[in-house]
């Protein structure tokens, strides 16, 4: 076990907004300046994920060096308890991604001579052990998502050890046996060219963010014949369809287009054959703001908005959403390139919110007044 004790740097700011405003309190911040930033965006850090193991809460954050796991149960005294080197490391590693299932953490990278790593986390905080590390099924991959009730993992933009520079848009794996993942299907949305960039999946139904092509909803219950249930390919302020998340009642879905100055879209998905835009919203901070990764917990939308940090909105009325709080993680006032808040994880039972900043690391925030939630809201 490798433990690293670093100085807490509390130099970020908090912004509170008027309508039903809640205060986000900084509980913990970590930034290791010895970790090299990438040559592309000078980001030492990338994705954030949360875990509950042995009745303790953990944060998982990716870096150019690998995977860092923090015990955040006592948030103000959070501590790194495990570090797992990446299959590939260094200044070319922009992006890692994570999902967990049944006491195992799945980790991928989008760059380098990487691999699919499966990490046994059942004995956290004492140990985290790599039990699978291979590039046979996945060498590089942009994002993963696990349909947990049926132990199926979806992976997008996949390259294998033997593939060329051309990649598989979406690959599907059975992970019932985590020591022996089984490849089931490669899939491309018919008639599209951008490829799947991200996805959200539940009970065989996948919402696929297909870049410039738009949003597609696909039923994978019959892997021999996947069926498109609906799509949204033309909508106001359409850009690069990056990522999204539905409400728990599956009536609304928030879509982020990864373009400078483009609004978030709140979609009506109550009828998948007739998906439409209900409303739009933005950080209201800068004309070139970019919303990166939106997630929904209860009546609240949490968005990592690159240079503008964490943005939180009340979306109980999807036609009239409004911002309730924000927290600035990025210290500079530039809005070019891609920098700042990469990801957010609001699903810890304590209600504490995890945020990763590409340049400034891990933040643990207290979501005063927001609902606490059992991880069953995320565990599909």
């Amino acid at each position: 076990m490798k433990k690293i004790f670093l100085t807490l740097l509390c130099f970020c700011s908090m912004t509170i907004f008027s309508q039903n405003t809640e205060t986000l309190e900084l509980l913990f911040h970590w930034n290791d300046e010895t970790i090299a930033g990438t040559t592309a965006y000078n980001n030492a850090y990338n994705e954030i994920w949360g875990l509950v193991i042995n009745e303790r809460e953990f944060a998982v954050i990716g870096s150019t060096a690998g995977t860092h796991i923090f015990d955040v149960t006592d948030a103000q005294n959070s501590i790194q308890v495990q570090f797992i080197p990446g299959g590939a490391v260094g200044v070319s590693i922009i992006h890692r991604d994570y999902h967990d299932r049944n006491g195992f953490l799945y980790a991928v990278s989008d760059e380098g001579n990487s691999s699919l790593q499966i990490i046994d986390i059942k004995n956290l905080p004492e140990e985290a052990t790599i039990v699978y590390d291979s590039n046979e099924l996945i060498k590089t991959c942009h994002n993963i998502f696990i349909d947990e009730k049926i132990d199926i993992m979806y992976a997008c933009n996949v390259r294998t050890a033997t593939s060329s520079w051309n990649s598989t848009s979406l690959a599907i794996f059975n992970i019932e046996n985590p020591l022996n993942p089984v490849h089931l299907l490669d899939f491309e949305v018919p008639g599209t060219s951008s490829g799947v960039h991200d996805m959200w999946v539940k009970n065989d139904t996948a919402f696929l963010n297909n870049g410039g092509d738009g949003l597609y909803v696909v039923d994978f219950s019959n892997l021999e014949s996947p069926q498109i249930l609906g799509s949204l390919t033309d909508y106001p302020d359409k850009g690069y369809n990056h990522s999204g998340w539905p409400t728990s009642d599956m009536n609304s879905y928030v879509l982020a287009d990864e373009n400078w100055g483009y609004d978030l879209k709140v979609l009506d998905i109550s009828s998948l054959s007739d998906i439409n835009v209900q409303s739009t919203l933005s950080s209201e901070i800068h004309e070139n703001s970019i919303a990166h990764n939106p997630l929904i917990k209860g009546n609240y939308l949490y968005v990592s908005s690159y240079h503008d940090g964490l943005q939180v909105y009340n979306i109980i009325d999807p036609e009239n959403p409004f911002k309730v709080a924000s927290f600035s993680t990025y210290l500079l006032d530039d809005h070019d390139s891609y920098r700042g808040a990469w990801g957010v994880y609001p699903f810890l039972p304590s209600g504490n919110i995890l945020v990763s900043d590409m340049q400034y690391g891990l933040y643990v925030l207290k979501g005063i007044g927001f609902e606490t939630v059992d991880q069953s809201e995320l565990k599909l």
Side-chain angles (χ1 to χ4, degrees):
M1 178 176 66
K2 181 177 181 181
K3 294 186 179 180
I4 300 177
F5 300 87
L6 295 168
T7 303
L8 177 64
L9 304 176
C10 299
F11 46 68
C12 30
S13 62
M14 175 175 58
T15 306
I16 307 303
F17 293 85
S18 55
Q19 190 171 7
N20 295 328
T21 296
E22 302 291 348
T23 299
L24 298 180
E25 175 188 351
L26 175 65
L27 300 176
F28 178 78
H29 174 234
W30 170 82
N31 176 25
D32 183 350
E33 295 183 355
T34 68
I35 299 175
T38 68
T39 53
Y41 309 113
N42 192 33
N43 63 303
Y45 309 102
N46 41 73
E47 184 63 293
I48 191 75
W49 191 248
L51 307 167
V52 177
I53 304 291
N54 299 323
E55 300 183 345
R56 302 190 69 81
E57 295 185 349
F58 298 91
V60 178
I61 185 171
S63 77
T64 56
T67 299
H68 310 259
I69 302 179
F70 285 78
D71 188 333
V72 296
T73 310
D74 178 6
Q76 291 180 315
N77 295 299
S78 297
I79 184 172
Q80 181 170 275
V81 292
Q82 298 292 331
F83 170 71
I84 300 94
V89 302
V91 296
S92 67
I93 307 300
I94 299 169
H95 185 191
R96 300 190 192 276
D97 202 49
Y98 303 99
H99 210 124
D100 73 288
R101 173 64 174 157
N102 287 336
F104 295 91
L105 178 67
Y106 295 75
V108 295
S109 173
D110 203 13
E111 299 84 23
N113 188 22
S114 299
S115 61
L116 168 63
Q117 293 182 323
I118 304 177
I119 304 162
D120 187 334
I121 53 174
K122 293 189 291 293
N123 293 321
L124 283 174
E126 282 74 20
E127 62 180 359
T129 306
I130 296 176
V131 294
Y132 178 97
D133 192 350
S134 172
N135 61 11
E136 180 182 358
L137 297 177
I138 296 176
K139 177 181 177 182
T140 61
C141 170
H142 190 69
N143 281 320
I144 55 177
F145 199 98
I146 296 176
D147 192 348
E148 297 186 341
K149 287 188 176 179
I150 52 177
D151 289 318
I152 300 294
M153 182 175 74
Y154 292 72
C156 63
N157 192 24
V158 172
R159 294 186 180 94
T160 68
T162 58
S163 65
S164 68
W165 286 106
N166 295 321
S167 61
T168 298
S169 181
L170 184 69
I172 302 176
F173 304 90
N174 184 307
I175 57 167
E176 186 175 4
N177 179 355
L179 301 182
N180 184 33
V182 177
H183 177 252
L184 300 176
L185 178 71
D186 290 333
F187 178 78
E188 304 278 349
V189 178
T192 63
S193 58
S194 295
V196 178
H197 180 84
D198 204 347
M199 63 260 136
W200 185 97
V201 193
K202 182 176 182 178
N203 294 334
D204 294 312
T205 300
F207 288 73
L208 304 180
N209 305 103
N210 234 68
D213 297 309
L215 175 71
Y216 292 83
V217 185
V218 181
D219 179 359
F220 286 102
S221 57
N222 181 358
L223 292 179
E224 294 182 358
S225 180
Q227 299 295 312
I228 296 178
L229 302 177
S231 63
L232 183 67
T233 59
D234 186 20
Y235 51 93
D237 207 24
K238 179 184 177 183
Y240 187 83
N241 195 302
H242 177 270
S243 60
W245 203 273
T247 54
S248 59
D249 61 10
M250 299 302 294
N251 286 326
S252 298
Y253 176 97
V254 176
L255 167 66
D257 289 287
E258 193 182 23
N259 303 81
W260 287 276
Y262 282 43
D263 287 344
L264 288 155
K265 289 82 176 175
V266 182
L267 310 182
D268 180 352
I269 59 168
S270 57
S271 172
L272 293 177
S273 62
D274 184 27
I275 300 172
N276 59 83
V277 178
Q278 291 179 289
S279 60
T280 61
L281 44 83
S282 73
S283 69
E284 304 169 3
I285 293 175
H286 195 280
E287 62 180 4
N288 284 332
S289 296
I290 306 176
H292 190 214
N293 286 315
L295 288 84
I296 295 172
K297 181 187 76 173
N299 296 325
Y300 293 93
L301 166 67
Y302 297 78
V303 185
S304 51
S305 295
Y306 277 135
H307 304 77
D308 298 332
L310 173 65
Q311 309 291 316
V312 186
Y313 305 85
N314 185 310
I315 58 168
I316 190 170
D317 179 359
E319 294 186 355
N320 296 285
F322 57 91
K323 182 158 59 172
V324 295
S326 76
F327 190 94
S328 178
T329 63
Y330 185 71
L331 303 182
L332 303 179
D333 193 32
D334 57 344
H335 278 75
D336 60 346
S337 189
Y338 302 95
R339 302 184 182 93
W342 179 291
V344 56
Y345 188 94
F347 299 107
L348 292 177
S350 64
N352 291 340
I353 305 162
L354 308 176
V355 182
S356 62
D357 185 283
M358 296 170 67
Q359 285 72 36
Y360 297 109
L362 170 66
Y363 293 81
V364 182
L365 308 175
K366 184 174 179 61
I368 300 172
F370 297 118
E371 309 104 321
T372 57
V373 62
D374 188 89
Q375 278 217 331
S376 60
E377 184 161 334
L378 181 66
K379 301 298 184 186
L380 309 175

